[in-house]
Amino acid sequence: MSRGILKFAAVALALSWMGLALAAPDVGATEKQPINVHAIVMFFIFVMATLGITYWAAKRTKTASDYYTAGGGITGTQNGLAIAGDYMSAATLLGLTSLTYFQGFDGYIYCICFYVGWPFIMFIMAERLRNLGKFTFADITSYRLDQRQVRTVAAIGSLTVVVFYLIAQMVGAGQLIKLLFGLEYWMAVVIVGVLMVVYVTFGGMIATTWVQIIKACLLLGGGTLVMLLAFSQFGFSFEKLATDAVANSKKGIALMGPGSLLADPVTAVSLSLGLMFGTAGLPHILMRFFTVPNAKEARKSVFVATLCVGFFFTVVAIMGLAAVTIVGTNPQYFEGGQLGAKLLGGNNMPAMHLAHAVGGNMMLGFLSAVAFATILAVVSGLALAGASAISHDLYANVIRKGQATEAEEVRVSKSSSLILGVVAVLLGIAFEKQNVAFMVGLAFGVAASCNFPVLILSMYWKGLTTRGAIWGSVAGLVSAVLIVVLSKAVWVVVLGNEKPLFPYEQPAIFSMPIAFFFAWLGSVTDSSVRATQEKAAFEDQYVRAQTGFGAAGAAAH
């Protein structure tokens, strides 16, 4: 295996790339740029280090618990960094910096939408997630309900989120690689897919966790360094930073006013709901709560992740405002050397141009390699979540009805990760020319509409039944997908129709209430014997949720 890793690393030396700006404007058509030698060297160092970690992790991954949850041996601090690494995609570095650069105060509000879900997870969900779950969040939703039916629906919802998220990451990575490193689009997508499969198949959760931790530290350190170098040019004065940004922006004082990015209140509220509660329904985030030994460490994980994410969003906002002056007044970062023209490389590039302005090619290369680490870590986490949904939920508990051995389950999971990698590469290549922002919105919208309502109800509402869970999940999934498909993002931009059939692109404000309503309706109208037994079983579930008694690695209180 080590020889194979070395061979693969030699191939990977040819590539260094960046990731997608989540929910930011699509980069569109791009042209290849001269190869960035600094970035390629740093990329090679990162790939060799992470492949070494994968080799080390492969020797430690012997059981299903090791593969899915690192044996529950990750500390709260380590898991918090890994969660932050899972959540802080390249969007944080590129897309949100870009939004702050162009929209000012509104860009920071957008950052807050991503952030506000974390306190909710910490205080309402973290402890119960750890005490009730084993490998996936479907363990929780099906705890006292019909295993086969509920797991099937939960797995479908998880795979929908994972696939759309993976497509978005792949397409963005392939588009942006041409801007910095001179490789063809399809080559970037293929090598990303191969690396993802290697990490997940051989190293499982142990390798994925440590890749996330390294990536989180690099992202926090690199972003903070660029921010400090840029901020120093304003004497570390927020007043001067804001004043200069207003003076050098086309928007003028409006840069510091709200309302220009999401002027429509329905879209603004729907987006906020999707980002907040979608976070609490992302399968690759929820899966991380099962990697710690007890509920105390689960709460600590969210606390550390919340600190890291909140700090970095502030770093990103400062970078965006600093770029207004440092990048926006420098002709070398505009097409044709003319101020006011299009930014070289597209609208997602202010962070990279800022890195070059304050640290030269070395800093640009470093931040480019960090962006590579960001995307690779995110797709690895997504692939593992998708593979676990197939192997643990569908194969082991639905098809084999709980009779599968650990070896069989892990074997199916590894095969599933390979299939997911192939699908992600093919879809990434197929969607090369499309705007992928709607895919990310759909991923969060489905997570908020399909996964979150049933998950929170299963933990807190005694009256939830199997029929209610299925009705709620299906209604949330179908309504979220339909709203996005019938909106302008897909119906007009992708499918080429003249007018959208639905006026709004963000589904959460509509699909979340639909999911909750059908979950309630299906439950209160279910008077079957099974429904009565499921409601009575809530008391036992409540005890375990509070104490961890009976959970793998019971909570220490």
Side-chain angles (χ1 to χ4, degrees):
M1 175 181 160
S2 58
R3 182 179 299 176
I5 288 177
L6 290 175
K7 288 181 179 179
F8 182 77
V11 175
L13 176 61
L15 171 67
S16 185
W17 55 277
M18 296 178 53
L20 168 68
L22 175 74
D26 185 45
V27 292
T30 57
E31 296 180 357
K32 291 193 297 182
Q33 300 291 311
I35 292 176
N36 187 322
V37 177
H38 296 86
I40 289 181
V41 171
M42 293 178 189
F43 163 78
F44 177 74
I45 294 172
F46 174 79
V47 169
M48 291 301 296
T50 52
L51 287 175
I53 289 172
T54 303
Y55 180 66
W56 164 79
K59 295 191 293 184
R60 295 168 56 94
T61 302
K62 296 180 174 61
T63 66
S65 178
D66 292 335
Y67 185 79
Y68 290 126
T69 63
I74 305 299
T75 69
T77 300
Q78 291 169 347
N79 196 45
L81 283 169
I83 290 174
D86 251 328
Y87 194 68
M88 294 187 300
S89 72
T92 314
L93 181 63
L94 303 177
L96 297 184
T97 303
S98 173
L99 279 177
T100 309
Y101 174 86
F102 287 106
Q103 303 293 340
F105 183 73
D106 267 3
Y108 189 63
I109 293 178
Y110 200 91
C111 294
I112 298 301
C113 291
F114 284 96
Y115 180 69
V116 293
W118 288 104
F120 179 85
I121 296 175
M122 179 165 64
F123 293 113
I124 304 297
M125 299 178 65
E127 182 170 349
R128 297 193 182 206
L129 282 170
R130 177 60 190 86
N131 285 340
L132 291 173
K134 185 179 181 182
F135 294 149
T136 68
F137 87 93
D139 292 335
I140 301 166
T141 56
S142 64
Y143 185 88
R144 57 187 172 88
L145 307 179
D146 183 273
Q147 292 282 320
R148 298 186 70 189
Q149 296 184 51
V150 174
R151 281 187 185 276
T152 300
V153 174
I156 291 172
S158 294
L159 287 171
T160 304
V161 174
V162 166
V163 168
F164 277 97
Y165 224 133
L166 274 176
I167 294 173
Q169 302 292 328
M170 289 292 190
V171 174
Q175 289 173 338
L176 288 171
I177 185 99
K178 293 190 290 186
L179 297 174
L180 292 181
F181 309 118
L183 282 182
E184 296 290 346
Y185 174 87
W186 69 269
M187 292 176 62
V189 173
V190 169
I191 296 182
V192 172
V194 172
L195 274 174
M196 173 186 76
V197 171
V198 169
Y199 292 160
V200 174
T201 301
F202 293 108
M205 181 58 83
I206 298 175
T208 302
T209 296
W210 283 102
V211 169
Q212 292 285 14
I213 290 172
I214 292 173
K215 166 257 175 146
C217 293
L218 287 174
L219 189 61
L220 288 166
T224 302
L225 179 59
V226 173
M227 181 272 290
L228 290 174
L229 290 173
F231 202 14
S232 67
Q233 298 190 20
F234 303 90
F236 296 102
S237 168
F238 284 103
E239 181 180 0
K240 180 172 175 54
L241 174 70
T243 301
D244 289 357
V246 168
N248 292 297
S249 171
K250 294 179 180 179
K251 296 172 68 73
I253 192 61
L255 189 72
M256 293 301 169
S260 60
L261 180 61
L262 295 172
D264 174 25
V266 174
T267 300
V269 173
S270 189
L271 176 65
S272 299
L273 288 174
L275 294 181
M276 177 178 178
F277 295 110
T279 301
L282 293 175
H284 63 298
I285 298 292
L286 296 173
M287 195 174 177
R288 292 225 150 266
F289 289 98
F290 312 130
T291 64
V292 292
N294 52 55
K296 178 182 177 181
E297 293 298 303
R299 292 192 298 269
K300 185 178 180 181
S301 298
V302 187
F303 179 71
V304 172
T306 303
L307 289 180
C308 293
V309 172
F311 169 76
F312 196 70
F313 281 166
T314 302
V315 168
V316 163
I318 295 175
M319 285 175 62
L321 284 182
V324 174
T325 300
I326 297 174
V327 175
T329 60
N330 192 329
Q332 70 170 308
Y333 300 117
F334 293 87
E335 292 182 0
Q338 296 182 351
L339 292 176
K342 291 183 179 180
L343 280 174
L344 285 175
N347 289 339
N348 290 308
M349 300 303 289
M352 310 316 296
H353 292 326
L354 182 66
H356 181 266
V358 300
N361 285 330
M362 183 64 73
M363 183 59 71
L364 175 61
F366 174 72
L367 211 60
S368 300
V370 168
F372 160 77
T374 297
I375 272 290
L376 187 56
V378 171
V379 296
S380 298
L382 286 166
L384 185 57
S388 65
I390 295 172
S391 61
H392 179 64
D393 295 326
L394 292 179
Y395 176 76
N397 288 285
V398 175
I399 297 174
R400 294 295 305 276
K401 301 179 181 179
Q403 300 302 311
T405 64
E406 283 194 355
E408 289 176 330
E409 194 173 328
V410 172
R411 185 166 60 249
V412 171
S413 184
K414 291 182 177 182
S415 300
S416 301
S417 67
L418 177 60
I419 294 172
L420 279 173
V422 173
V423 170
V425 168
L426 293 177
L427 290 177
I429 294 173
F431 278 79
E432 176 184 0
K433 303 299 183 182
Q434 299 294 343
N435 186 305
V436 297
F438 78 91
M439 293 181 191
V440 178
L442 180 58
F444 272 81
V446 170
S449 306
C450 176
N451 296 345
F452 171 74
V454 175
L455 178 62
I456 199 71
L457 289 175
S458 68
M459 290 193 292
Y460 281 94
W461 186 37
K462 178 179 180 179
L464 184 69
T465 67
T466 295
R467 187 168 78 175
I470 294 172
W471 283 18
S473 294
V474 172
L477 175 62
V478 172
S479 60
V481 172
L482 276 179
I483 287 171
V484 175
V485 168
L486 298 178
S487 71
K488 180 181 177 181
V490 180
W491 196 253
V492 176
V493 176
V494 178
L495 300 181
N497 294 293
E498 186 176 347
K499 293 181 179 180
L501 298 181
F502 194 80
Y504 302 104
E505 296 180 9
Q506 298 295 332
I509 196 172
F510 307 102
S511 52
M512 270 185 66
I514 290 174
F516 276 109
F517 172 76
F518 276 96
W520 170 82
L521 182 65
S523 297
V524 298
T525 58
D526 189 354
S527 56
S528 65
V529 174
R530 185 181 69 180
T532 303
Q533 295 171 342
E534 289 168 351
K535 294 174 184 177
F538 181 79
E539 298 303 326
D540 290 337
Q541 175 184 312
Y542 180 78
V543 172
R544 174 161 162 174
Q546 294 298 318
T547 65
F549 182 74
H557 290 282

